[in-house]
Amino acid sequence: MASAFNLDAFKAIFPDIKDGSPRDCYVTLARTAEGAERYEEMCQFMKELVCNHDANLNEDERNLLSVAYKNVIGAKRASWRTMKTSPLESSVETDSTEKRLTEQYCSQVERELKEVCDEVLHLLESKLIPAASDFEDSVFYKKMAGDYCRYLAESSDSEEDKQLAAKYYKDAFAVAEAELRATHPIRLGLALNYSVCYYEILKDKHAACELAKRAFDEAISKLDKLQTTEYKDSTLIMQLLRDNLTLWTSNSSDDGNDDEEVAEYSDGDDAA
């Protein structure tokens, strides 16, 4: 991803900031960029922290990384979906100037989307997953890898991307089931996005519904043990699981519209 931001100019003043390490400086810049909604620069700060300082991120830093790339890729996914469903894209007038230009523009967005996904996956595979210090980190990063492989599969329709997404989700879910509580937000978010992968990418509606229902039921049965600090995030994801189940079962029984957008979750999302 290209950015005109001159990070080197800021690096030059890091040594003069006596009450903060370079790591603290990158985190401060990332938070500032988030507040200003300058997400590509936020990605740049977090990438610099991971690649050149420390890939063993704490929870706050982990969420900053997730939020940064989620906002950048979210805008590109929305653009791609809009273009793919536009009347010009589906027009039978294959030689029209408008259609040719729209197809070219859509291809450009696909390349940009792939560039972001490749950047994230490189960070995860080469730095973050190997540096994971506990089970929660491992699940978080493998889920994130599954998410970005899924985003690639959406636009490329590549069988390799589909299977890699499924593998990351499966590996993460095995650890989550063994090591994280049924009500843990990361485990619930993983179940939500893994079920979306089954439904939208792997086209296995039965597996999607089964996974979402099992995750919801297991969390409901342990709701009385839900930690106060996790209540907001966990209950939000449970609602999203239920919403998707309602949509999917309605589509199956009523031959509804499978193109209706389903709910997913990115770690670091605001549950409000």
Side-chain angles (χ1 to χ4, degrees):
M1 267 186 315
S3 173
F5 184 82
N6 185 5
L7 181 56
D8 288 338
F10 281 79
K11 287 182 183 179
I13 67 171
F14 283 0
D16 298 329
I17 302 176
K18 297 179 180 179
D19 58 345
S21 65
R23 180 180 192 142
D24 295 330
C25 292
Y26 285 121
V27 171
T28 297
L29 286 170
R31 288 203 187 102
T32 304
E34 181 183 16
E37 298 184 0
R38 295 174 68 90
Y39 296 111
E40 290 197 0
E41 291 162 8
M42 188 180 178
C43 292
Q44 189 178 355
F45 302 142
M46 295 311 297
K47 179 182 177 182
E48 186 77 15
L49 173 58
V50 169
C51 290
N52 297 323
H53 293 275
D54 190 357
N56 186 13
L57 305 182
N58 61 36
E59 182 178 356
D60 181 47
E61 294 162 348
R62 212 176 54 187
N63 286 336
L64 285 171
L65 177 85
S66 178
V67 167
Y69 281 104
K70 176 203 72 174
N71 279 280
V72 171
I73 200 67
K76 296 186 187 302
R77 289 175 73 205
S79 298
W80 181 82
R81 287 176 170 175
T82 299
M83 290 178 177
K84 293 299 287 185
T85 57
S86 71
L88 286 175
E89 179 69 22
S90 58
S91 170
V92 294
E93 299 176 9
T94 55
D95 293 329
S96 71
T97 300
E98 292 89 349
K99 180 172 174 59
R100 290 172 61 191
L101 288 172
T102 301
E103 288 175 342
Q104 182 66 24
Y105 202 168
C106 189
S107 296
Q108 172 64 34
V109 174
E110 287 176 4
R111 288 192 293 271
E112 292 176 5
L113 194 153
K114 185 178 187 304
E115 181 182 345
V116 177
C117 289
D118 287 347
E119 181 175 302
V120 175
L121 289 167
H122 177 71
L123 285 177
L124 289 164
E125 293 166 351
S126 66
K127 298 287 186 179
L128 295 164
I129 291 175
S133 59
D134 56 29
F135 294 120
E136 185 177 304
D137 279 349
S138 179
V139 173
F140 184 101
Y141 292 131
K142 288 179 180 179
K143 170 195 170 291
M144 193 172 175
D147 289 340
Y148 282 82
C149 288
R150 174 164 58 88
Y151 305 155
L152 281 174
E154 283 177 345
S155 59
S156 70
D157 201 33
S158 159
E159 190 62 30
E160 181 181 356
D161 290 333
K162 293 177 184 179
Q163 295 307 316
L164 193 55
K167 180 184 183 301
Y168 273 121
Y169 283 134
K170 182 179 179 180
D171 291 350
F173 203 68
V175 178
E177 284 197 305
E179 304 295 341
L180 301 183
R181 300 178 306 281
T183 55
H184 196 294
I186 293 178
R187 175 170 166 175
L188 284 169
L190 169 61
L192 176 68
N193 289 9
Y194 192 5
S195 65
V196 170
C197 182
Y198 269 126
Y199 191 86
E200 290 194 329
I201 305 300
L202 303 176
K203 307 301 182 185
D204 189 338
K205 298 180 182 181
H206 175 75
C209 292
E210 186 178 71
L211 175 58
K213 185 177 187 306
R214 179 158 56 94
F216 181 84
D217 290 345
E218 288 177 352
I220 278 286
S221 70
K222 302 288 177 57
L223 205 57
D224 59 324
K225 298 178 181 177
L226 185 59
Q227 296 184 10
T228 305
T229 54
E230 297 176 351
Y231 184 85
K232 191 178 181 182
D233 288 336
S234 296
T235 53
L236 168 65
I237 304 169
M238 290 169 67
Q239 180 63 53
L240 296 177
L241 282 164
R242 188 165 63 179
D243 290 347
N244 282 355
L245 275 169
T246 300
L247 173 64
W248 295 341
T249 54
S250 173
N251 284 344
S252 297
S253 60
D254 301 331
D255 193 24
N257 179 15
D258 281 356
D259 293 331
E260 187 169 346
E261 189 169 341
V262 301
E264 4 177 313
Y265 186 79
S266 292
D267 300 291
D269 277 346
D270 187 352

